[in-house]
Amino acid sequence: MPPSNVRSSVFLEPAAVAAPAQMPAEALTVPLWRRIDAWLTQPRSARSVVVWLSVYLALVANWPLWSELARIGGAPSVYLPTVALMTLLTICATVALLALSAWTRWMKPLWLVVVVVAAGAEHFMLSYHAVMDPSMLANAMQTDLHEARDLMSWRLLLRVLLVTALPAWVLWRMRIPPMGLLSQAWRNALLLLAALALAAGGALAMNRQLAPLMRNNVHLRYMINPPASLYSASAVALRPVFAHSRKLIPVTGGAALGASYAAQARPPLFLLVVGETARADHFGLNGYARDTTPQLAARKVLSWRDVHSCGTNTLASVPCMFSPLGKAGFEKRKDDYENLMDVLQAAGLAVFWIDNQPGGCKGVCDRIPHAFAADALDPAMKSALCDGDECLDDALLKDLDRRLAALPAERRSRGVVLAMHQMGSHGPAYYKRSSADTKRFLPECKTNALAECSHAELVNAFDNSIAYTDRFLGQAIDWLQAQSGRYDPALLYLSDHGESLGEYGLFLHGVPYGFAPEVQKHIPMVMWFGPHMRERGGLSQACMAAGLDQPLTHDNLYHTVLGLMDVKSPSYQVGLDALASCRGPVHDRGGDSRPTTSSPWALAPADRTPHSVASR
């Protein structure tokens, strides 16, 4: 090679080497966020986004699950391997679900919705120790705007923003190039199979630890976030689509008034009050250290101390408690059945349902006259008792004389059954459930963010709501007594379910019944008789007082009311009538203590005992 050429190559080589050497120095002048943004905007497949998002949600949105595993495991050496396995299973489950959405177009909004759902679910699990099972989601879907408002808080907004801010920005900047439909389909299927295979392998490898953990702690499967929330919401939303067409099974055939109506001096007036979220152990009548029920005590009511609910939320309990099927039969039913209010109406009585809960009567009052408490209020009274459409329970007692007089005169002359559905002690805004003059336990929790209150403040707010219910029931009894000249009055109150106030780290209600704590199922039940109603039914006061510790459940309500009102029906079962043993000679109600297989209400002939005896 000529020297000139060599020389030129020597001069050119440093220049060629120097150019790339200057690039890192230039890059260092670019802000870090721009370099990250440039990295994010590189083309990526939808499947890589799904995997990244699943890992993020598993690590960020599952603190309730990790905390529960730590509580169950005790020592770190016990729970850390389980946490690692559950992290793997959570990632795999989320990948498997999101693999169905791993397409290149129009999926970013859907992925962001999944993140928001996961953030919201984490908030409610952390704040109230709820689990995202189908019954909880069904109850949530039944919640209207006014009830949902009580669950809103700045803490919820902050937590959702903290969880969603990063993935929202990443999804916005991320570029996913288009791909052919068939090519995407087989890749998505491969990702789904890989996720399921990895999950199965992990579960098999640690089956010895995992199987007893999940069997003994069923609630854990509903804490896996977001798969549990997505599964439960889908199950509730799709259930009507795949369910067979439900028909209404009549049970009113043969309903008739008993012999006591033939020569009655006055028609009966029975007030049935359905309470909300009241705990039996917070009633002073039942031995609670605080005197939360002085008004009821002064009126010498009967208070049963061992009563259990059909469910742990209103949607489950209210239709069940009015059903002739009992808990076991109600939960197994494939069709809808007429209920207690239908039978009372078919027998010829005047019936009326007054609701003070925005969620309504859950179908119980669909075929009878009904109204909302706020409907009868004049503007001044509504302003005093209501916040929007949500009113204190005193609204139920307003204008009762007019409501009573408006019932058909012919039916009213036979007898009247009024049902009232309280707002009661509905949480988490317990402080809203009592008026200023009934707030005897202070300081009380004045927010719906229960974590911001001490346990004592939370209990004070709840107890004030019980004290308000006590005053409400006292006023209801006074109104009934004022009707004694024209009617034979009586009152029965029982709650739909109980409430957790921090016991075992749980708040509110709605935990699946099988492993719900006692406080969510143990409910108060109170009865008051006017001067003639007890005599009318031939009931022994001493006998009833002696039986206040007998175990009862919502299963007893249907038959007890039919017995008390002397209504004959083939669906009546004397064995489930809580007052039957205290009634003089047992009147024939047209039913039998043993169901027959031809009866539509005999869905569980092997077990017709109150369900609390078997399930507690």
XYZ file of all heavy atoms in Angstrom, residues 444-533:
711
model
N -67.671 10.119 68.964
C -67.999 9.086 67.992
C -67.223 9.297 66.700
O -66.772 10.408 66.409
C -69.494 9.061 67.699
C -70.023 10.258 66.928
C -71.459 10.078 66.475
O -72.055 9.017 66.724
O -71.998 11.026 65.859
N -67.084 8.242 65.952
C -66.426 8.306 64.640
C -67.325 9.086 63.687
O -68.477 8.714 63.466
C -66.184 6.889 64.117
S -65.361 6.816 62.511
N -66.819 10.160 63.110
C -67.622 11.022 62.247
C -67.145 10.993 60.807
O -67.215 11.989 60.090
C -67.596 12.452 62.778
C -68.297 12.615 64.123
C -68.371 14.063 64.549
C -69.142 14.209 65.851
N -69.251 15.629 66.287
N -66.677 9.854 60.371
C -66.232 9.696 58.990
C -66.563 8.286 58.530
O -66.769 7.385 59.347
C -64.720 9.946 58.859
O -64.299 9.674 57.514
C -63.930 9.039 59.798
N -66.617 8.100 57.213
C -66.821 6.749 56.680
C -65.497 6.025 56.464
O -65.499 4.845 56.103
C -67.612 6.807 55.365
C -66.945 7.696 54.322
O -65.837 8.180 54.516
N -67.628 7.921 53.220
N -64.377 6.725 56.662
C -63.058 6.087 56.600
C -62.746 5.547 57.994
O -62.150 6.225 58.823
C -62.002 7.090 56.143
N -63.162 4.317 58.263
C -63.106 3.777 59.615
C -61.686 3.675 60.153
O -61.480 3.705 61.364
C -63.783 2.400 59.640
C -65.244 2.378 59.152
C -65.838 0.993 59.327
C -66.076 3.418 59.882
N -60.716 3.550 59.257
C -59.330 3.436 59.710
C -58.842 4.714 60.379
O -57.853 4.690 61.112
C -58.426 3.088 58.525
N -59.530 5.827 60.145
C -59.119 7.091 60.744
C -59.627 7.243 62.173
O -59.260 8.189 62.864
C -59.630 8.254 59.884
C -59.031 8.281 58.478
C -59.602 9.404 57.637
O -60.421 10.184 58.180
O -59.238 9.498 56.451
N -60.496 6.323 62.620
C -61.088 6.414 63.955
C -60.510 5.347 64.875
O -60.113 4.266 64.426
C -62.606 6.228 63.873
S -63.445 7.459 62.855
N -60.511 5.654 66.152
C -60.137 4.634 67.122
C -61.278 3.637 67.252
O -62.416 3.902 66.859
C -59.855 5.285 68.476
O -61.064 5.809 69.026
N -60.958 2.484 67.835
C -61.996 1.460 68.020
C -63.105 1.980 68.928
O -64.297 1.731 68.673
C -61.379 0.195 68.617
C -62.374 -0.901 68.846
N -63.002 -1.563 67.811
C -62.869 -1.437 70.000
C -63.839 -2.469 68.307
N -63.770 -2.410 69.622
N -62.745 2.732 69.950
C -63.744 3.271 70.876
C -64.683 4.237 70.166
O -65.901 4.214 70.390
C -63.051 3.967 72.042
N -64.153 5.096 69.306
C -64.998 6.030 68.560
C -65.927 5.298 67.609
O -67.098 5.682 67.432
C -64.116 7.011 67.786
C -63.349 7.986 68.666
C -62.338 8.798 67.893
O -61.844 8.305 66.850
O -62.023 9.928 68.326
N -65.418 4.230 66.990
C -66.234 3.435 66.073
C -67.386 2.773 66.822
O -68.545 2.819 66.378
C -65.360 2.383 65.391
C -66.051 1.414 64.440
C -66.699 2.167 63.289
C -65.046 0.395 63.906
N -67.091 2.177 67.959
C -68.135 1.530 68.765
C -69.147 2.561 69.256
O -70.352 2.292 69.284
C -67.501 0.760 69.940
C -68.571 0.265 70.909
C -66.681 -0.419 69.412
N -68.676 3.746 69.642
C -69.597 4.798 70.087
C -70.593 5.156 68.984
O -71.796 5.302 69.244
C -68.820 6.048 70.500
C -68.150 5.894 71.846
O -68.460 4.989 72.610
N -67.209 6.780 72.143
N -70.103 5.310 67.752
C -70.992 5.663 66.642
C -72.004 4.554 66.393
O -73.193 4.819 66.162
C -70.174 5.937 65.385
N -71.551 3.313 66.448
C -72.471 2.180 66.233
C -73.495 2.102 67.358
O -74.691 1.916 67.109
C -71.676 0.877 66.137
C -72.528 -0.322 65.816
C -72.889 -0.606 64.509
C -72.977 -1.157 66.828
C -73.688 -1.701 64.205
C -73.769 -2.261 66.547
C -74.124 -2.531 65.229
N -73.036 2.247 68.594
C -73.966 2.181 69.735
C -74.981 3.311 69.711
O -76.127 3.142 70.140
C -73.180 2.198 71.046
C -72.509 0.867 71.339
O -72.810 -0.111 70.624
O -71.686 0.802 72.265
N -74.581 4.478 69.216
C -75.550 5.565 69.067
C -76.641 5.196 68.063
O -77.811 5.564 68.248
C -74.843 6.856 68.628
C -74.070 7.510 69.757
O -74.408 7.355 70.927
N -73.025 8.236 69.418
N -76.269 4.465 67.021
C -77.282 4.033 66.053
C -78.230 3.012 66.683
O -79.431 3.001 66.374
C -76.612 3.442 64.800
O -76.046 2.168 65.054
N -77.724 2.167 67.575
C -78.593 1.215 68.291
C -79.514 1.975 69.238
O -80.713 1.663 69.357
C -77.753 0.187 69.058
C -76.889 -0.644 68.101
C -78.645 -0.726 69.890
C -77.665 -1.504 67.135
N -78.975 2.981 69.931
C -79.803 3.796 70.823
C -80.894 4.528 70.048
O -82.023 4.689 70.543
C -78.920 4.802 71.580
N -80.570 4.951 68.838
C -81.588 5.600 67.999
C -82.672 4.595 67.596
O -83.869 4.922 67.620
C -80.939 6.202 66.763
C -81.916 6.889 65.846
C -82.325 8.193 66.078
C -82.450 6.217 64.749
C -83.243 8.827 65.249
C -83.368 6.835 63.915
C -83.752 8.133 64.162
O -84.671 8.743 63.341
N -82.270 3.386 67.228
C -83.246 2.343 66.914
C -84.123 2.052 68.127
O -85.334 1.829 67.997
C -82.530 1.059 66.451
O -81.973 1.277 65.147
C -83.481 -0.127 66.382
N -83.524 2.046 69.313
C -84.297 1.834 70.538
C -85.375 2.909 70.693
O -86.536 2.594 70.988
C -83.343 1.868 71.734
C -84.067 1.882 73.075
O -84.734 0.883 73.397
O -83.964 2.896 73.784
N -85.003 4.155 70.476
C -86.002 5.227 70.585
C -87.062 5.098 69.498
O -88.257 5.303 69.745
C -85.328 6.592 70.495
C -86.266 7.724 70.905
C -85.696 9.080 70.591
N -85.671 9.343 69.156
C -85.338 10.527 68.636
N -84.974 11.521 69.436
N -85.327 10.707 67.329
N -86.632 4.754 68.295
C -87.571 4.578 67.186
C -88.598 3.489 67.507
O -89.806 3.674 67.307
C -86.790 4.228 65.921
C -87.630 3.655 64.812
C -88.375 4.492 63.997
C -87.682 2.284 64.599
C -89.165 3.973 62.976
C -88.464 1.756 63.589
C -89.209 2.595 62.770
N -88.126 2.358 68.037
C -89.044 1.269 68.372
C -89.951 1.667 69.532
O -91.135 1.291 69.569
C -88.250 0.013 68.719
C -87.486 -0.628 67.546
C -86.620 -1.785 68.044
C -88.443 -1.095 66.458
N -89.420 2.431 70.488
C -90.257 2.918 71.577
C -91.386 3.797 71.064
O -92.541 3.681 71.505
N -91.082 4.668 70.108
C -92.107 5.525 69.526
C -93.113 4.712 68.714
O -94.312 5.025 68.705
C -91.455 6.604 68.662
C -90.656 7.621 69.460
C -89.932 8.618 68.570
O -89.772 8.403 67.369
N -89.485 9.718 69.162
N -92.639 3.682 68.038
C -93.538 2.813 67.273
C -94.516 2.100 68.208
O -95.713 1.983 67.904
C -92.729 1.801 66.465
N -94.004 1.636 69.359
C -94.877 0.985 70.342
C -95.897 1.969 70.894
O -97.080 1.632 71.077
C -94.029 0.356 71.464
C -93.230 -0.841 70.916
C -94.905 -0.083 72.638
C -92.215 -1.409 71.885
N -95.466 3.199 71.147
C -96.396 4.216 71.641
C -97.507 4.471 70.626
O -98.678 4.648 71.001
C -95.653 5.515 71.937
C -94.688 5.383 73.116
O -94.822 4.401 73.875
O -93.799 6.243 73.262
N -97.153 4.502 69.345
C -98.176 4.694 68.308
C -99.144 3.510 68.293
O -100.367 3.703 68.163
C -97.516 4.866 66.945
C -98.520 5.013 65.832
C -99.201 6.145 65.487
C -98.967 3.977 64.944
N -100.043 5.878 64.440
C -99.923 4.560 64.080
C -98.655 2.632 64.793
C -100.569 3.845 63.077
C -99.287 1.894 63.797
C -100.236 2.494 62.957
N -98.615 2.306 68.441
C -99.482 1.122 68.465
C -100.426 1.168 69.666
O -101.614 0.830 69.551
C -98.633 -0.151 68.509
C -97.891 -0.522 67.216
C -96.917 -1.666 67.471
C -98.869 -0.899 66.108
N -99.902 1.565 70.817
C -100.755 1.655 72.005
C -101.888 2.658 71.810
O -103.004 2.457 72.304
C -99.915 2.038 73.227
C -99.069 0.890 73.762
C -98.285 1.291 74.991
O -97.743 2.385 75.066
N -98.211 0.390 75.968
N -101.595 3.715 71.077
C -102.626 4.722 70.810
C -103.738 4.174 69.924
O -104.831 4.752 69.869
C -102.001 5.947 70.159
N -103.463 3.054 69.222
C -104.478 2.433 68.360
C -105.266 1.351 69.085
O -106.125 0.698 68.482
C -103.802 1.810 67.120
C -102.818 2.695 66.389
C -103.427 3.989 65.898
O -104.536 3.995 65.365
N -102.711 5.089 66.085
N -105.004 1.142 70.386
C -105.605 0.017 71.115
C -107.121 0.095 71.200
O -107.785 -0.931 71.392
C -105.014 -0.063 72.527
O -103.635 -0.348 72.470
N -107.678 1.280 71.070
C -109.129 1.374 71.110
C -109.795 0.764 69.896
O -110.947 0.307 69.968
N -109.058 0.738 68.756
C -109.636 0.224 67.508
C -109.019 -1.091 67.060
O -109.610 -1.816 66.257
C -109.458 1.260 66.397
C -110.222 2.568 66.619
C -110.021 3.489 65.425
N -108.618 3.880 65.264
C -108.043 4.150 64.094
N -108.744 4.036 62.979
N -106.780 4.533 64.053
N -107.807 -1.393 67.545
C -107.081 -2.576 67.081
C -106.483 -3.327 68.265
O -106.321 -2.774 69.361
C -105.946 -2.176 66.131
C -106.388 -1.535 64.830
C -106.431 -0.146 64.707
C -106.749 -2.310 63.736
C -106.824 0.452 63.518
C -107.144 -1.728 62.542
C -107.182 -0.351 62.439
O -107.573 0.242 61.267
N -106.101 -4.575 67.995
C -105.281 -5.357 68.923
C -103.852 -5.314 68.388
O -103.517 -6.029 67.436
C -105.773 -6.805 68.998
C -107.110 -6.943 69.685
O -107.499 -6.005 70.401
O -107.771 -7.981 69.497
N -102.965 -4.477 68.962
C -101.649 -4.260 68.354
C -100.563 -5.195 68.893
O -100.636 -5.721 70.003
C -101.340 -2.808 68.729
C -102.014 -2.635 70.058
C -103.235 -3.515 70.045
N -99.534 -5.364 68.076
C -98.322 -6.105 68.454
C -97.192 -5.658 67.545
O -97.423 -5.118 66.444
C -98.530 -7.607 68.347
N -95.952 -5.862 67.991
C -94.766 -5.481 67.209
C -93.732 -6.596 67.284
O -93.499 -7.174 68.348
C -94.181 -4.177 67.739
C -92.860 -3.684 67.124
C -92.849 -2.151 67.018
C -91.630 -4.137 67.926
N -93.110 -6.854 66.163
C -91.965 -7.773 66.094
C -90.844 -7.074 65.352
O -91.042 -6.550 64.249
C -92.345 -9.070 65.377
C -91.186 -10.042 65.089
C -90.526 -10.523 66.371
C -91.665 -11.221 64.256
N -89.670 -7.032 65.987
C -88.482 -6.441 65.366
C -87.393 -7.493 65.300
O -87.137 -8.203 66.277
C -87.983 -5.247 66.191
C -86.539 -4.859 65.888
C -86.242 -3.983 64.853
C -85.483 -5.393 66.627
C -84.928 -3.636 64.560
C -84.170 -5.054 66.345
C -83.896 -4.181 65.308
O -82.597 -3.851 65.015
N -86.735 -7.608 64.151
C -85.510 -8.402 64.061
C -84.657 -7.857 62.929
O -85.172 -7.326 61.944
C -85.797 -9.887 63.874
C -86.275 -10.431 62.528
C -86.247 -11.962 62.570
C -87.656 -9.953 62.168
N -83.364 -7.963 63.092
C -82.430 -7.400 62.123
C -82.183 -8.375 60.980
O -82.419 -9.581 61.101
C -81.106 -7.070 62.813
O -80.229 -6.405 61.917
N -81.704 -7.845 59.861
C -81.415 -8.707 58.715
C -80.067 -9.416 58.849
O -79.894 -10.531 58.370
C -81.489 -7.919 57.405
C -80.484 -6.763 57.327
O -79.879 -6.417 58.363
O -80.312 -6.200 56.231
N -79.113 -8.785 59.513
C -77.793 -9.393 59.738
C -77.054 -8.532 60.750
O -77.553 -7.480 61.162
C -76.986 -9.513 58.441
C -76.836 -8.201 57.713
N -75.946 -7.228 58.099
C -77.494 -7.693 56.632
C -76.046 -6.191 57.296
N -76.986 -6.432 56.400
N -75.872 -8.961 61.147
C -75.075 -8.208 62.104
C -73.991 -7.392 61.431
O -74.084 -7.031 60.254
N -72.902 -7.136 62.173
C -71.857 -6.231 61.700
C -70.545 -6.524 62.421
O -70.531 -6.854 63.612
C -72.266 -4.781 61.963
C -71.329 -3.732 61.411
C -71.601 -3.407 59.943
O -72.119 -4.301 59.231
O -71.304 -2.287 59.510
N -69.441 -6.405 61.704
C -68.114 -6.488 62.317
C -67.612 -5.082 62.598
O -67.700 -4.197 61.739
C -67.136 -7.214 61.395
O -67.386 -8.599 61.369
N -67.057 -4.900 63.791
C -66.543 -3.587 64.202
C -65.057 -3.660 64.523
O -64.574 -3.011 65.445
C -67.323 -3.075 65.415
C -68.820 -2.829 65.200
C -69.501 -2.494 66.522
C -69.041 -1.716 64.178
N -64.344 -4.462 63.751
C -62.905 -4.579 63.946
C -62.469 -5.902 64.544
O -61.262 -6.171 64.635
N -63.408 -6.744 64.980
C -63.039 -8.055 65.508
C -62.353 -8.866 64.403
O -62.832 -8.930 63.268
C -64.279 -8.810 66.007
C -65.023 -8.122 67.130
C -66.073 -7.141 66.664
O -66.155 -6.890 65.431
O -66.825 -6.616 67.511
N -61.237 -9.503 64.762
C -60.436 -10.289 63.812
C -59.987 -9.444 62.612
O -59.715 -9.974 61.536
C -61.217 -11.508 63.310
C -61.844 -12.324 64.398
C -63.212 -12.317 64.602
C -61.068 -13.101 65.258
C -63.806 -13.057 65.616
C -61.640 -13.849 66.267
C -63.008 -13.821 66.452
O -63.587 -14.556 67.448
N -59.948 -8.121 62.810
C -59.547 -7.250 61.712
C -60.609 -7.028 60.669
O -60.327 -6.476 59.600
N -61.859 -7.427 60.929
C -62.941 -7.299 59.951
C -63.820 -6.102 60.277
O -64.038 -5.763 61.444
C -63.795 -8.562 59.936
C -63.115 -9.863 59.500
C -64.065 -11.030 59.672
C -62.645 -9.769 58.053
N -64.363 -5.492 59.220
C -65.297 -4.385 59.358
C -66.491 -4.624 58.434
O -66.426 -5.399 57.490
C -64.625 -3.048 59.005
C -63.502 -2.670 59.939
C -62.204 -3.069 59.680
C -63.761 -1.937 61.082
C -61.170 -2.733 60.539
C -62.735 -1.589 61.953
C -61.439 -1.992 61.683
N -67.592 -3.929 58.738
C -68.826 -4.027 57.967
C -69.370 -5.455 58.000
O -69.316 -6.111 59.036
C -68.621 -3.511 56.537
C -68.138 -2.047 56.426
C -68.004 -1.643 54.972
C -69.038 -1.101 57.163
N -69.885 -5.949 56.870
C -70.505 -7.269 56.841
C -70.341 -7.838 55.438
O -69.625 -7.286 54.622
C -71.991 -7.176 57.223
C -72.751 -6.171 56.409
N -72.934 -4.867 56.818
C -73.355 -6.259 55.200
C -73.614 -4.204 55.902
N -73.888 -5.026 54.908
N -71.011 -8.954 55.167
C -70.967 -9.529 53.828
C -69.936 -10.625 53.656
O -69.757 -11.127 52.546
N -69.237 -11.026 54.722
C -68.317 -12.156 54.630
C -69.135 -13.407 54.326
O -70.213 -13.604 54.887
C -67.529 -12.332 55.946
C -66.680 -13.593 55.920
C -66.651 -11.111 56.201
N -68.689 -14.267 53.399
C -69.445 -15.487 53.084
C -69.861 -16.231 54.347
O -69.067 -16.391 55.279
C -68.469 -16.284 52.231
C -67.651 -15.239 51.548
C -67.497 -14.132 52.553
N -71.104 -16.702 54.371
C -71.730 -17.180 55.599
C -70.938 -18.301 56.271
O -70.855 -18.361 57.499
C -73.145 -17.674 55.279
C -74.037 -17.787 56.505
C -74.839 -16.720 56.884
C -74.077 -18.945 57.266
C -75.659 -16.799 57.997
C -74.884 -19.039 58.386
C -75.677 -17.963 58.747
O -76.479 -18.052 59.853
N -70.358 -19.196 55.471
C -69.689 -20.367 56.036
C -68.558 -20.029 56.978
O -68.282 -20.783 57.918
N -67.865 -18.912 56.745
C -66.759 -18.553 57.643
C -66.897 -17.115 58.156
O -65.929 -16.514 58.616
C -65.390 -18.759 56.978
C -65.217 -18.104 55.638
C -64.730 -16.823 55.551
C -65.542 -18.771 54.476
C -64.563 -16.212 54.326
C -65.372 -18.171 53.245
C -64.878 -16.889 53.165
N -68.131 -16.579 58.085
C -68.373 -15.255 58.662
C -68.313 -15.340 60.181
O -68.717 -16.344 60.776
C -69.737 -14.729 58.223
N -67.820 -14.298 60.835
C -67.772 -14.321 62.305
C -69.174 -14.261 62.901
O -70.139 -13.827 62.259
C -66.963 -13.069 62.657
C -67.155 -12.163 61.483
C -67.269 -13.051 60.284
N -69.292 -14.688 64.135
C -70.567 -14.747 64.834
C -71.270 -13.396 64.841
O -72.505 -13.332 64.719
C -70.327 -15.237 66.266
C -71.548 -15.278 67.163
C -72.458 -16.470 66.893
O -72.182 -17.229 65.949
O -73.454 -16.619 67.623
N -70.524 -12.313 64.966
C -71.150 -10.995 65.101
C -71.887 -10.567 63.842
O -72.757 -9.683 63.900
C -70.105 -9.925 65.489
C -69.557 -10.201 66.874
C -68.980 -9.835 64.455
N -71.561 -11.153 62.702
C -72.273 -10.825 61.472
C -73.550 -11.650 61.303
O -74.347 -11.386 60.404
C -71.366 -11.008 60.251
C -70.227 -10.019 60.184
C -69.527 -10.011 58.836
O -70.086 -10.404 57.806
N -68.278 -9.566 58.824
N -73.756 -12.650 62.172
C -74.923 -13.528 62.054
C -75.831 -13.476 63.282
O -77.009 -13.825 63.184
C -74.458 -14.971 61.824
C -73.665 -15.166 60.545
C -73.247 -16.605 60.333
C -72.077 -17.012 61.182
N -71.526 -18.334 60.804
N -75.309 -13.067 64.420
C -76.068 -13.057 65.676
C -76.853 -11.750 65.744
O -76.273 -10.671 65.857
C -75.109 -13.180 66.856
C -75.802 -13.344 68.170
N -75.173 -13.121 69.372
C -77.070 -13.699 68.483
C -76.011 -13.341 70.362
N -77.186 -13.681 69.844
N -78.181 -11.830 65.688
C -79.021 -10.652 65.520
C -80.019 -10.505 66.669
O -80.358 -11.487 67.334
C -79.798 -10.714 64.186
C -80.643 -11.999 64.126
C -78.846 -10.616 63.008
C -81.612 -12.058 62.975
N -80.511 -9.292 66.916
C -81.544 -9.090 67.933
C -82.936 -9.414 67.379
O -83.198 -9.250 66.184
C -81.427 -7.599 68.255
C -80.912 -6.994 66.993
C -80.029 -8.025 66.349
N -83.795 -9.876 68.273
C -85.208 -10.111 67.939
C -86.033 -9.723 69.159
O -85.814 -10.239 70.254
C -85.445 -11.570 67.559
C -86.906 -11.925 67.341
S -87.071 -13.603 66.684
C -88.776 -13.968 67.123
N -86.967 -8.793 68.969
C -87.742 -8.210 70.064
C -89.219 -8.272 69.704
O -89.600 -8.037 68.551
C -87.309 -6.740 70.306
C -88.258 -6.043 71.257
C -85.883 -6.685 70.835
N -90.060 -8.565 70.700
C -91.500 -8.598 70.471
C -92.225 -7.875 71.599
O -91.839 -7.970 72.764
C -91.997 -10.040 70.345
C -93.474 -10.157 69.978
S -93.967 -11.841 69.528
C -93.384 -11.894 67.841
N -93.278 -7.162 71.209
C -94.138 -6.455 72.164
C -95.590 -6.776 71.847
O -95.977 -6.831 70.664
C -93.911 -4.952 72.074
C -94.895 -4.142 72.866
C -94.811 -3.788 74.183
C -96.126 -3.582 72.387
N -95.905 -3.068 74.565
C -96.742 -2.917 73.476
C -96.775 -3.591 71.155
C -97.953 -2.257 73.364
C -97.989 -2.948 71.032
C -98.569 -2.289 72.126
N -96.384 -6.998 72.885
C -97.801 -7.290 72.714
C -98.631 -6.213 73.389
O -98.352 -5.813 74.525
C -98.161 -8.639 73.341
C -97.580 -9.816 72.611
C -96.386 -10.378 73.021
C -98.221 -10.355 71.504
C -95.841 -11.449 72.354
C -97.683 -11.429 70.840
C -96.488 -11.983 71.248
N -99.676 -5.765 72.681
C -100.654 -4.879 73.286
C -101.514 -5.644 74.278
O -101.410 -6.867 74.409
N -102.369 -4.931 74.984
C -103.121 -5.562 76.076
C -104.023 -6.712 75.639
O -104.305 -7.605 76.442
C -103.956 -4.398 76.633
C -103.959 -3.361 75.550
C -102.669 -3.513 74.833
N -104.466 -6.744 74.382
C -105.412 -7.781 73.973
C -104.811 -8.790 72.986
O -105.364 -9.870 72.825
C -106.654 -7.146 73.337
C -107.349 -6.167 74.227
N -107.983 -6.547 75.398
C -107.486 -4.813 74.145
C -108.490 -5.482 75.985
N -108.204 -4.407 75.251
N -103.703 -8.428 72.323
C -103.166 -9.312 71.287
C -102.652 -10.622 71.876
O -102.791 -11.687 71.273
C -102.038 -8.593 70.535
C -101.563 -9.325 69.302
S -102.841 -9.432 68.028
C -101.883 -10.073 66.655
